[in-house]
Amino acid sequence: MIMKLQPVQVATGSSDRESRLVFEDGLLVAVLVQLSSEHDSEAGHWFLEAGFGRVDDPHAPIFADLDEAQAWIARQLSETRPVG
Amino acid sequence: MTVASITDTVLSSHSPTPLFDPSNALIRKLEGFNPLSDADRAVLQRISANAHLIGPRVDLVREGDPPDGVILIMEGLACRQKHRANGARQITAYLVPGDACDLDVALLARMDHTITTLSACRVVRIPFDVVRRLMDEHPAIARSLRLGTLVDEATLREWLVNVGCRSAIERIAHLFCELLVRLQVVGCASENSYEFPVTQLDLADTVGLSNVHVNRSLQELRRQGVIELKGRTLTILDRQRLKSIAEFDSKYLHLGSRAAA
């Protein structure tokens, strides 16, 4: 599994813009957005703005850093659960 | 005192002077649906007296429990909620002062949802036989209670539309509009402001959004000068704009001439 992160700005309709597209083996699996100062104690942390396929989870945690986010995404991708 | 004698005392039509408190949320709510006599008001006053103070985040009845009386909220805010095995929660209704759990809950062997206080509440648990006699002997009250049940169902349908068809900001705007109207009816909101003792996480679980999306939507409503949230007080600065964002139409609350907002 090769995971690549591509910096991007996302128009979230808020001041959360700094983002990463997350690719696994060339396929987009997630969009991570860094939380701005509007989120108080969670400012600077990373939010799963969108997850595709196995990474889709409306109750994903907030990640302290990108390493933590990638580890969580990798776990989701490796889980053998039915999709859809 | 036996249950029967409590019932007799509560529902007796030969009671002393029918005193009732004009701020009683149950009377205000039910009277809004249907005219009530002094005797009706006095009965409602007695039924809702001696409410117990319960702290925030206390389960009044849990999913799977046998129902134990009709729960009536006289002050504060409570909710109906469901939990998934993974801990995720959906709040499916808010109970504001004057609201009760289902009247016919006695027909159920087990509760299919949990009722929990969100803030400190004053709560009455009305025994089933008292509810039964109330419905049998006070037709005007019975009619209002049935209308209340229809409004609960209509509200649930509106909430389903909210989570199914509206954007994040629209969902929150809709909830804020609805609560303003419902709380005004029972005298718990001013023209544009009310106590909103709900955490951001509660709100997220109410409108089916992440905490992040709730925070962004609240910030956007603030930025647009539509609302102000100071502590636990929500002030709606631009009611027309909030209604327009939510496409809010209070018809489903069946308030008739009381629909001020």
Side-chain angles (χ1 to χ4, degrees):
Chain A
M1 185 192 297
I2 302 166
M3 211 179 283
K4 279 190 180 164
L5 269 60
Q6 180 183 323
V8 67
Q9 302 282 304
V10 172
T12 61
S14 71
S15 50
D16 307 333
R17 286 188 188 159
E18 186 61 34
S19 307
R20 298 288 184 275
L21 300 182
V22 183
F23 294 91
E24 188 221 22
D25 296 336
L27 294 174
L28 182 65
V29 294
V31 179
L32 294 166
V33 172
Q34 189 167 34
L35 298 177
S36 66
S37 57
E38 285 186 350
H39 296 275
D40 300 328
S41 62
E42 287 177 329
H45 291 204
W46 292 83
F47 172 62
L48 183 76
E49 189 72 37
F52 305 103
R54 289 180 177 175
V55 186
D56 180 19
D57 183 349
H59 293 93
I62 302 285
F63 308 105
D65 54 44
L66 284 171
D67 286 344
E68 199 179 297
Q70 284 183 85
W72 182 85
I73 292 169
R75 272 201 305 279
Q76 295 293 111
L77 290 169
S78 63
E79 265 184 27
T80 51
R81 62 185 168 95
V83 177
Chain B
M1 192 184 278
T2 64
V3 170
S5 64
I6 293 170
T7 308
D8 289 344
T9 309
V10 168
L11 291 180
S12 168
S13 54
H14 306 291
S15 55
T17 324
L19 291 172
F20 52 89
D21 174 4
S23 71
N24 181 298
L26 178 65
I27 297 175
R28 287 185 72 134
K29 179 185 170 179
L30 296 186
E31 195 158 42
F33 287 130
N34 195 49
L36 299 178
S37 66
D38 279 356
D40 291 332
R41 291 193 202 98
V43 166
L44 293 173
Q45 177 73 44
R46 281 199 296 279
I47 278 177
S48 56
N50 304 319
H52 295 285
L53 182 62
I54 310 257
R57 300 187 184 280
V58 174
D59 290 341
L60 300 174
V61 63
R62 291 196 182 97
E63 182 171 353
D65 286 351
D68 176 23
V70 168
I71 293 167
L72 170 67
I73 305 298
M74 290 305 292
E75 281 177 32
L77 188 66
C79 70
R80 299 174 195 264
Q81 57 185 13
K82 301 272 290 182
H83 287 92
R84 280 189 62 187
N86 68 3
R89 170 182 72 149
Q90 179 68 44
I91 292 178
T92 63
Y94 284 167
L95 301 178
V96 306
D99 286 345
C101 77
D102 309 279
L103 291 176
D104 287 322
V105 76
L107 300 175
L108 301 176
R110 304 268 165 201
M111 289 294 292
D112 55 43
H113 61 281
T114 298
I115 300 180
T116 304
T117 58
L118 288 171
S119 68
C121 286
R122 284 200 178 275
V123 179
V124 182
R125 209 177 281 267
I126 312 171
F128 291 135
D129 59 334
V130 173
V131 176
R132 212 163 23 243
R133 287 190 57 187
L134 194 62
M135 299 299 277
D136 289 346
E137 297 170 14
H138 296 267
I141 293 176
R143 184 181 148 82
S144 286
L145 287 170
R146 290 203 176 99
L147 277 164
T149 302
L150 290 176
V151 168
D152 287 349
E153 289 167 5
T155 303
L156 184 59
R157 283 190 285 276
E158 200 63 37
W159 281 35
L160 190 56
V161 172
N162 225 19
V163 295
C165 298
R166 292 194 180 103
S167 69
I169 199 166
E170 290 166 354
R171 293 181 201 186
I172 291 172
H174 197 278
L175 180 70
F176 286 172
C177 287
E178 178 187 298
L179 284 175
L180 179 66
V181 177
R182 288 173 61 192
L183 290 168
Q184 279 175 340
V185 166
V186 289
C188 296
S190 73
E191 191 190 355
N192 68 342
S193 162
Y194 52 87
E195 288 299 298
F196 189 61
V198 169
T199 66
Q200 214 161 279
L201 277 173
D202 292 332
L203 188 50
D205 290 344
T206 303
V207 290
L209 294 169
S210 69
N211 197 21
V212 167
H213 282 99
V214 166
N215 194 32
R216 283 179 189 159
S217 301
L218 291 175
Q219 301 278 3
E220 181 58 25
L221 288 169
R222 282 193 185 112
R223 251 192 304 273
Q224 292 186 22
V226 180
I227 63 158
E228 186 179 69
L229 252 173
K230 274 191 183 163
R232 303 172 110 204
T233 304
L234 174 75
T235 304
I236 297 169
L237 302 171
D238 187 341
R239 240 170 31 176
Q240 282 314 313
R241 175 86 186 113
L242 193 70
K243 277 179 73 174
S244 145
I245 290 170
E247 289 181 358
F248 181 77
D249 181 340
S250 63
K251 280 198 192 83
Y252 67 96
L253 296 171
H254 299 281
L255 299 167
S257 58
R258 293 173 299 161

